[in-house]
Every structure is written in structure tokens, then in C-alpha cells.
Amino acid sequence: MKKALVLPALAVLGGLAGFALRTWQLSTAVDPQSGIIQSDHPATLGLLLLSALLALGFLVLSRSVPLPEPDALPNPFYCPNSLYITAMSVSGLLLLAAGGLGLMNTFLDYQELQAQWVPDQPPVPFPAIAVLCGGLCLAAGASVLIFGRSNYRGLNASGWLIGSLPPGYLALLMLIDYYVAHSSDPLLLRYAWSLLGWVTTLVSLYAVSSCCYRKPAPRITLFFSGCAVYLQLISLADRPESFQIMAIAALIFYLLAQSAALTQNCLAPRMPSGALDEPENNQENQNQNISFDAEK
């Protein structure tokens, strides 16, 4: 299991270093009048150099993971480890809390804007994207809990497949919402790290789902998961809203757990004890064993 934690540990340590560099950059490399970030500032150069080195490290580590046969891992995220189920539980609960907080803040802000509305002004637009993000957080939180329990117990039920989808839909909507809110900003360095964080998060969650649907891409999954964790930790230095912080933290826990489980299973493929056995088949096998013992 120690080898499986190398890439997640590198992503977390690199993200913490990137968070410190980004905080330094925003505090000292920003022109107070124009808001332009100095591209030749040591913090900016250090952040670019760190990103390049970590991208290379993620590439090397992901390429070192052997590729299993398509049918060798019926559940590539099977992990009967208490640390895994703890990370998945934290991820699911954070998403549920983020969904509730996001919906509450959205409706409160909408009611406040409606109270301030006057007849001469255009009507207050309904925050559809924010409501959808909050609703998808609730759905993603429930699915993460189901997905984590199935992987912990080694079950390949229908809920296991469906449980891998909602986090990707949430990341897609969060990416759209973030891009719409910052697309008019001409200064790319002010929002590039967060934008790249959501892009890599979306790709990594899509790769996780593809592994569940018998189209395994472990190297792509591991590479983009490491990049997503690193970039999302950097984006926390931009001080997003509390709803976004909780959603980002939840997805970080989710990707770290899947990266460790996938690496472990690729390094030592094994069949979960109850992954493919139906209850009927188990009962039939027990009856056959009993009758065989009786004959003896």
C-alpha cells in the first residue's frame, strides 16, 4: 500500500507548496492599481517551475504503473482499507454539506435581490446554475457514499456504476459556472490556476468513470488526478466562497482515494472475494458442498 500512496502524497505536498507560492504571489506580485500580476516575480516563476516539475513527476509515476488486462480488474477501485472508506465518507459528507449550504445561500441572495428590486429595473435573473450546482452536490454526495461502500466491500452492483457519474457532472457544471464568471477578465494569471484545476478535475473524474465501465485508463486517471489535486489546492489560495471550498475539498479527498486504490490494484491485481458472486450462486455452491459432504 505504501507504493500506492506515492502519487497522492506527491500531489498533496506539491499542492501545499503551490498554495504557499500562490499566496505569496497574490500578496506581493500584484500591481495595486491595475491588478496585473508580474510575470517575472519570483513567486510566479517558482509556481511555473513547480507545476512543470510536478507534471513531469505525475507523468513518470503514472507511466510506471503496469496496465492490467481489461477483464483482470472487475472493480479497479476495490480497496478494503479503513483509510479509503474514511476518505470517501469525508468526501461524501462534505458534498452533502456543500450542497445544503450552496442552496441556502443562493436562495437567500435571490430573495435579498428581489427585495431590493424596483419596477424601473430589469427583473432579477433566477440563479439557475447555482441551484443546479447545489442540487448536484447533494446527488454527488450520496453517490460518493454509495460508491465508497461498494468499493470497500467489493460489490459490483448497479449502484456502483451509477455512483461514479454524478461527481463528473458536478465538475462539469462547476467548470462552466467558473468560466462564465471569469471569462470577461483579461488577466489570465488571475484565474488560470483555478480554471486548470476544474479542467483537470473534470478529465480525471471522467477517467474514473471510464474505468468503472470496463474501459480502464489507469495511467490517464492517475496523471490527471494528481494534476487536479495539485491545482485545486493552489486554487484555494484565491479565497473562493465557502460552498466552493467544501466542494473542492470533497473532490480532492475523492480523487486521492481513487488514485491510491487504482494504483494498488494495478500493482497487485486481485479479485474481490464477493465482487462477482451473486447471492444465488453462493447459496447453490453451499448446497453442493453440503450434499457432497453427506455423500462422503
Side-chain angles (χ1 to χ4, degrees):
M1 191 63 183
K2 293 182 179 179
K3 293 182 179 180
L5 297 177
V6 173
L7 191 145
L10 179 62
V12 172
L13 293 176
L16 294 177
F19 177 87
L21 288 173
R22 178 66 171 172
T23 303
W24 180 26
Q25 182 189 50
L26 294 176
S27 61
T28 60
V30 180
D31 184 80
Q33 296 181 352
S34 62
I36 297 176
I37 297 178
Q38 302 174 13
S39 58
D40 57 347
H41 191 273
T44 305
L45 298 177
L47 198 54
L48 293 174
L49 178 61
L50 177 64
S51 301
L53 292 176
L54 284 177
L56 180 60
F58 295 145
L59 181 62
V60 172
L61 289 175
S62 61
R63 293 288 296 178
S64 64
V65 174
L67 292 176
E69 296 294 331
D71 295 331
L73 296 176
N75 185 346
F77 302 106
Y78 169 65
C79 187
N81 188 289
S82 59
L83 186 61
Y84 174 84
I85 192 62
T86 301
M88 293 295 287
S89 300
V90 171
S91 176
L93 294 176
L94 280 175
L95 285 173
L96 292 175
L101 180 63
L103 289 175
M104 182 183 67
N105 291 339
T106 299
F107 283 113
L108 290 177
D109 294 342
Y110 181 67
Q111 290 179 352
E112 183 179 355
L113 291 175
Q114 278 190 323
Q116 299 175 355
W117 179 78
V118 294
D120 295 338
Q121 295 179 350
V124 178
F126 183 75
I129 295 183
V131 172
L132 287 175
C133 285
L136 272 177
C137 272
L138 296 177
S143 69
V144 166
L145 294 176
I146 296 173
F147 190 63
R149 186 190 64 174
S150 300
N151 292 332
Y152 180 70
R153 296 182 177 179
L155 303 175
N156 286 2
S158 58
W160 174 71
L161 293 175
I162 299 175
S164 66
L165 297 177
Y169 294 137
L170 173 63
L172 175 60
L173 200 59
M174 296 285 283
L175 171 61
I176 294 173
D177 184 37
Y178 186 85
Y179 179 75
V180 170
H182 296 82
S183 59
S184 60
D185 191 348
L187 302 177
L188 183 62
L189 286 178
R190 288 203 295 201
Y191 64 94
W193 300 107
S194 296
L195 183 63
L196 288 174
W198 284 115
V199 170
T200 52
T201 299
L202 176 61
V203 176
S204 59
L205 292 174
Y206 173 81
V208 169
S209 297
S210 69
C211 291
C212 296
Y213 281 86
R214 299 303 175 87
K215 294 182 179 179
R219 292 177 177 175
I220 294 177
T221 304
L222 293 174
F223 174 77
F224 281 102
S225 294
C227 292
V229 171
Y230 164 70
L231 292 170
Q232 290 288 22
L233 286 173
I234 291 179
S235 70
L236 294 178
D238 295 343
R239 302 296 188 271
E241 298 180 359
S242 55
F243 156 74
Q244 295 178 341
I245 292 177
M246 296 173 71
I248 289 172
L251 294 177
I252 286 175
F253 276 106
Y254 180 84
L255 291 176
L256 289 174
Q258 306 319 315
S259 298
L262 180 60
T263 304
Q264 176 66 20
N265 288 326
C266 288
L267 292 175
R270 54 188 175 182
M271 287 284 292
S273 59
L276 298 179
D277 294 336
E278 298 295 335
E280 295 81 4
N281 294 336
N282 292 335
Q283 186 65 34
E284 182 180 353
N285 292 334
Q286 292 177 3
N287 294 336
Q288 290 178 356
N289 292 334
I290 292 174
S291 61
F292 179 75
D293 294 336
E295 291 177 359
K296 291 180 63 179

